[in-house]
Amino acid sequence: MAAITGFVEKIRYRNEDNGYSVLDVASEGQEYVLVGTFQYISEGEMIEAVGTMTEHPVYGEQLQVESYEVKTPEDAAAMERYLGSGAIKGVGAALAARIVRKFKADTFRVIEEEPERLSEVKGISERMAMVISQQMEEKRDMRQAMIFLQEYGISMNLAAKIYQEYGSRMYGIIRENPYRLADDIPGVGFKMADEIARRAGIAADSDYRVKAGLLYVLLQAAGQGHTYLPVEELTAQASQLLLTEPENMENDLADLQMDRRIVRKGQAVYAAPYYYMELNTARMLHDLNIKGSTPMEEISKRIDLIQKQNDMELDPLQVRAVAEAVNSGLLIITGGPGTGKTTAINAIIQYFEMEEMEILLAAPTGRAAKRMTEATGWEARTIHRLLELNGAPAEDGSSPMRFERNEENPLDADVIIIDEASMVDIQLMQSLLKAVNVGTRLILVGDVNQLPSVGPGNVLKDMIRSGRFNVVMLTHIFRQAAESDIIVNAHRINEGQPVDLAKRSRDFLFIRRESPDAIINAMITLLTRKLPGYVHAEPFDIQILTPMRKGALGVERLNAVFQSVLNPADKSKPEKESGGAVFRLGDKVMQIKNNYQMEWEVRGRYGIPVETGAGVFNGDMGVIRELNLFAETLTVEFDEGRMAEYSFRQLEELELAYATTIHKAQGSEYPAVIIPLYSGPRMLMTRNLIYTAVTRARACVCLVGVPETFLAMAENQTEQRRYSGLQERIEEIPV
């Protein structure tokens, strides 16, 4: 064993999550490298460490620290070194020397007990004296707090957040109600707070615990698409989580209701924010739903002119869509592929363009917005960009994610058209409606038979089912579309009609394979040799869509396989392992959670930024263009050339995207899709899942696997129940 006592000259590396650090320490005229886990330490501090000397093949001799103690400098030289190290802001080497020359070995006692005396030193005002004393006290308190929090299994990074949020109040909070952390600290969920509570000796039937558990179950339900849960289902799930009897939860539900943290409507229990989202959305939809009075004769003349100018012929339902758009404050246009939704949108745009109206187009995702732009010739943006997302912290420290466009700063438009509206969740719909003035026409376009939004709510379906708004359902498949087996078979799937899998088709292929490995081999052949030339696309542009995350044909296994095929390991390609996956330069990746603060830039010539912004969203896909192992960053290029830089600590927000779940492909379109079909749980393998997958392909669908699985999915009409109350909130408003 070896012991070293010295000063921390430099912190070479520090993992803020677990405290693992590499330190340069000066001791008796020599430099040492110390490696180990340090709860809290800063440059300039004095450390006494015990450990084993080892020889690193690259970095040389190191002390692997087994135990250590941060010492308070006791002699004048040590005090001067600490103060001049930069540990105390505003105090440099020269000022540190003057302080210690004045007070000698009594320096630290003066700073702590008589800080006003520091003003006796030239260059220090009374205010600066108090700031120096305060910093010394904070550093001491911070170190004590870190040691205390480590006893509860809390990581260094999280401990720092807790201390910054609560200060000295944290001791009482941890001992009495650690569940507050789940409400106040980003990154702390119920399970982490529950583990801290267990270590703190909080009783399993504590009211704090039960209430936190009930809120956690509602939060988890929102992650599965629900805006509420029936009370029996809520208490049953909470009982399973907490291992307590559901009968004992009624008082806790009543307390949560008194505290306005939940809302009960009959048997439905909402986390309060989701109830008010539905209520506000219903009211704003009602206010927009104004009827116009333009005569049909006048509308017909304008439609005839549009058809003549564009050498096109609208069918009766498309004509009705244009007429309803003219005379409706709120209109929903829905229909499957090939039914002319885009043609109807173009006719509506041209009608309002003739009226010299201001028109805005948007869609939920970047890919959907890009398709809308290509189809209409008008610029379409994501809804987030339309509403001018701002991810910077607010001045009052409130929620960092906000939209600059809202009720106080509404969108300047006469007509707003939203495509792929089935993907819009309740939170985004509320934000959109806040920015739409009464009198502005809002037109929602989407395929109601696709999967619902990833986020909570069932907005488009609830609006249609309420019967309160004008809905035009396009059903006619146009001749050109009818020549595509993708479109014909998509409609057959949706209508429950049989699909001929043996038919020789140009764009809808079924390749029978009986085992997962045989399916994967066929997919490799399709992706690398057959499809790129056939659909005139790069392998990276062709997407594998699978129903599941786990299993022999789940996302995780397929991504590992196709990474090795399309972007194999190479000495010239840096890579980083994270969360069981390897991220390599050139990999295709996807963002898997909304990050409103993530900054991005579009670079022009010579790499100079020409546009900047913030926000990368769940489902955004890109390619790793840079991977810097020294700086511990990687840069992803997303759609429209947006370059976003991730630290290695943020890699949990990314996953490989050679294969994605069908849910993640909503709103996207690819030159070709490959869909493996083998087996899976009946609840998951549904008609609207396979319908959504098939309609993602522009030029070719390749199904590979067992025909019986496809047939079972096409026949399975069951949809996973989504608890959503927007329809009821709309119907509650008197007409």
Side-chain angles (χ1 to χ4, degrees), residues 225-252:
H226 308 296
T227 56
Y228 72 86
L229 283 178
V231 65
E232 283 190 14
E233 199 164 321
L234 170 61
T235 54
Q237 289 186 34
S239 172
Q240 199 173 10
L241 173 74
L242 301 168
L243 301 177
T244 60
E245 293 302 317
E247 295 78 26
N248 302 332
M249 296 179 185
E250 193 56 45
N251 288 339
D252 297 299

Coordinates of all heavy atoms in Angstrom, one line a residue, residues 225-252:
G225 N -49.9 6.3 -23.6 CA -50.9 7.0 -24.5 C -52.2 7.4 -23.8 O -53.0 8.0 -24.4
H226 N -52.3 7.0 -22.5 CA -53.6 7.3 -21.8 C -53.5 8.7 -21.1 O -52.5 9.1 -20.6 CB -53.8 6.3 -20.6 CG -53.7 4.9 -21.1 ND1 -54.6 4.4 -22.0 CD2 -52.9 3.9 -20.8 CE1 -54.3 3.1 -22.2 NE2 -53.3 2.8 -21.5
T227 N -54.6 9.4 -21.2 CA -54.7 10.7 -20.4 C -55.3 10.5 -19.0 O -55.2 11.4 -18.2 CB -55.5 11.8 -21.2 OG1 -56.8 11.2 -21.4 CG2 -54.8 12.2 -22.5
Y228 N -55.9 9.4 -18.8 CA -56.5 9.0 -17.5 C -56.5 7.5 -17.3 O -56.2 6.8 -18.3 CB -57.9 9.6 -17.3 CG -59.0 8.9 -18.1 CD1 -59.6 7.7 -17.5 CD2 -59.4 9.3 -19.3 CE1 -60.6 7.0 -18.3 CE2 -60.4 8.7 -20.0 CZ -61.0 7.5 -19.5 OH -61.9 6.9 -20.2
L229 N -56.8 7.0 -16.1 CA -57.0 5.6 -15.9 C -58.3 5.5 -15.1 O -58.6 6.3 -14.2 CB -55.9 5.0 -15.1 CG -54.6 4.7 -15.8 CD1 -53.5 4.1 -14.8 CD2 -54.8 3.7 -17.0
P230 N -59.1 4.4 -15.3 CA -60.2 4.1 -14.4 C -59.7 3.9 -13.0 O -58.6 3.3 -12.8 CB -60.8 2.9 -15.0 CG -60.3 2.8 -16.4 CD -59.0 3.5 -16.4
V231 N -60.4 4.3 -12.0 CA -59.9 4.2 -10.6 C -59.6 2.8 -10.2 O -58.6 2.6 -9.5 CB -61.0 4.9 -9.6 CG1 -62.3 4.0 -9.6 CG2 -60.3 5.0 -8.2
E232 N -60.3 1.8 -10.7 CA -60.0 0.4 -10.3 C -58.7 0.0 -10.9 O -57.9 -0.7 -10.3 CB -61.1 -0.5 -10.7 CG -62.3 -0.5 -9.8 CD -63.3 -1.6 -10.2 OE1 -62.9 -2.5 -10.9 OE2 -64.5 -1.5 -9.7
E233 N -58.4 0.4 -12.1 CA -57.2 0.0 -12.8 C -56.0 0.8 -12.2 O -54.9 0.2 -12.0 CB -57.3 0.4 -14.3 CG -56.3 -0.4 -15.1 CD -56.6 -0.4 -16.6 OE1 -57.8 -0.5 -17.0 OE2 -55.6 -0.2 -17.4
L234 N -56.2 2.0 -11.8 CA -55.2 2.8 -11.2 C -54.8 2.2 -9.8 O -53.6 2.0 -9.6 CB -55.7 4.3 -10.9 CG -54.8 5.2 -10.1 CD1 -53.4 5.3 -10.6 CD2 -55.5 6.5 -9.9
T235 N -55.8 1.9 -9.0 CA -55.4 1.3 -7.7 C -54.9 -0.1 -7.8 O -54.0 -0.5 -7.0 CB -56.7 1.4 -6.7 OG1 -57.7 0.7 -7.4 CG2 -57.1 2.8 -6.4
A236 N -55.3 -0.8 -8.8 CA -54.8 -2.2 -8.9 C -53.3 -2.1 -9.3 O -52.4 -2.9 -8.8 CB -55.6 -2.9 -10.0
Q237 N -53.0 -1.2 -10.3 CA -51.6 -1.1 -10.7 C -50.7 -0.5 -9.5 O -49.6 -1.0 -9.3 CB -51.5 -0.2 -11.9 CG -52.0 -0.8 -13.2 CD -51.8 0.1 -14.4 OE1 -50.7 0.8 -14.5 NE2 -52.7 0.0 -15.4
A238 N -51.3 0.4 -8.8 CA -50.5 1.0 -7.7 C -50.3 0.0 -6.6 O -49.2 -0.1 -6.0 CB -51.2 2.2 -7.1
S239 N -51.3 -0.9 -6.4 CA -51.2 -1.9 -5.4 C -50.0 -2.9 -5.8 O -49.3 -3.3 -4.9 CB -52.5 -2.7 -5.3 OG -52.4 -3.8 -4.5
Q240 N -50.0 -3.2 -7.0 CA -48.9 -4.1 -7.5 C -47.5 -3.5 -7.4 O -46.6 -4.2 -7.0 CB -49.2 -4.5 -9.0 CG -48.5 -5.7 -9.5 CD -48.9 -6.0 -10.9 OE1 -49.6 -5.3 -11.6 NE2 -48.5 -7.2 -11.4
L241 N -47.5 -2.2 -7.6 CA -46.2 -1.5 -7.5 C -45.8 -1.3 -6.0 O -44.6 -1.6 -5.7 CB -46.4 -0.1 -8.1 CG -45.2 0.9 -7.9 CD1 -44.0 0.5 -8.9 CD2 -45.7 2.3 -8.2
L242 N -46.7 -1.0 -5.2 CA -46.4 -0.7 -3.8 C -46.5 -1.8 -2.8 O -46.0 -1.8 -1.7 CB -47.3 0.4 -3.3 CG -47.3 1.8 -4.1 CD1 -48.5 2.6 -3.7 CD2 -46.0 2.5 -3.9
L243 N -47.1 -3.0 -3.3 CA -47.3 -4.1 -2.5 C -48.2 -3.8 -1.3 O -47.9 -4.2 -0.1 CB -46.0 -4.8 -2.1 CG -45.1 -5.2 -3.2 CD1 -43.8 -5.8 -2.7 CD2 -45.8 -6.2 -4.1
T244 N -49.2 -3.0 -1.5 CA -50.2 -2.6 -0.5 C -51.6 -2.9 -1.0 O -51.8 -3.0 -2.2 CB -50.0 -1.1 0.0 OG1 -50.3 -0.3 -1.2 CG2 -48.7 -0.8 0.5
E245 N -52.6 -2.9 -0.1 CA -53.9 -3.2 -0.5 C -54.6 -2.0 -1.2 O -54.5 -0.9 -0.7 CB -54.8 -3.6 0.7 CG -54.3 -5.0 1.3 CD -54.4 -6.1 0.3 OE1 -55.4 -6.2 -0.5 OE2 -53.5 -6.9 0.2
P246 N -55.3 -2.2 -2.3 CA -55.9 -1.1 -3.0 C -57.0 -0.4 -2.2 O -57.3 0.8 -2.4 CB -56.5 -1.7 -4.3 CG -56.5 -3.1 -4.1 CD -55.4 -3.4 -3.1
E247 N -57.6 -1.2 -1.3 CA -58.7 -0.6 -0.5 C -58.3 0.6 0.4 O -59.0 1.4 0.8 CB -59.4 -1.7 0.4 CG -60.1 -2.8 -0.3 CD -59.1 -3.8 -0.9 OE1 -58.0 -4.0 -0.3 OE2 -59.4 -4.5 -1.9
N248 N -57.0 0.6 0.7 CA -56.4 1.6 1.6 C -56.0 2.9 0.9 O -55.5 3.8 1.6 CB -55.2 1.0 2.3 CG -55.5 -0.2 3.1 OD1 -56.6 -0.4 3.5 ND2 -54.5 -1.1 3.3
M249 N -56.3 3.0 -0.4 CA -55.8 4.1 -1.2 C -56.8 5.3 -1.3 O -56.5 6.3 -1.8 CB -55.3 3.7 -2.5 CG -54.2 2.7 -2.5 SD -53.7 2.2 -4.1 CE -52.4 1.0 -3.7
E250 N -58.1 5.0 -0.9 CA -59.1 6.0 -1.1 C -58.8 7.4 -0.4 O -59.0 8.4 -1.0 CB -60.5 5.5 -0.6 CG -61.7 6.3 -1.1 CD -61.7 6.5 -2.6 OE1 -61.5 5.5 -3.3 OE2 -62.0 7.6 -3.1
N251 N -58.3 7.3 0.8 CA -57.9 8.6 1.5 C -56.8 9.3 0.8 O -56.8 10.5 0.7 CB -57.5 8.3 2.9 CG -58.7 7.9 3.8 OD1 -59.9 8.2 3.4 ND2 -58.5 7.2 4.9
D252 N -55.8 8.5 0.3 CA -54.7 9.2 -0.5 C -55.2 9.8 -1.8 O -54.7 10.9 -2.1 CB -53.6 8.1 -0.7 CG -53.0 7.6 0.5 OD1 -52.5 8.3 1.3 OD2 -53.2 6.4 0.8

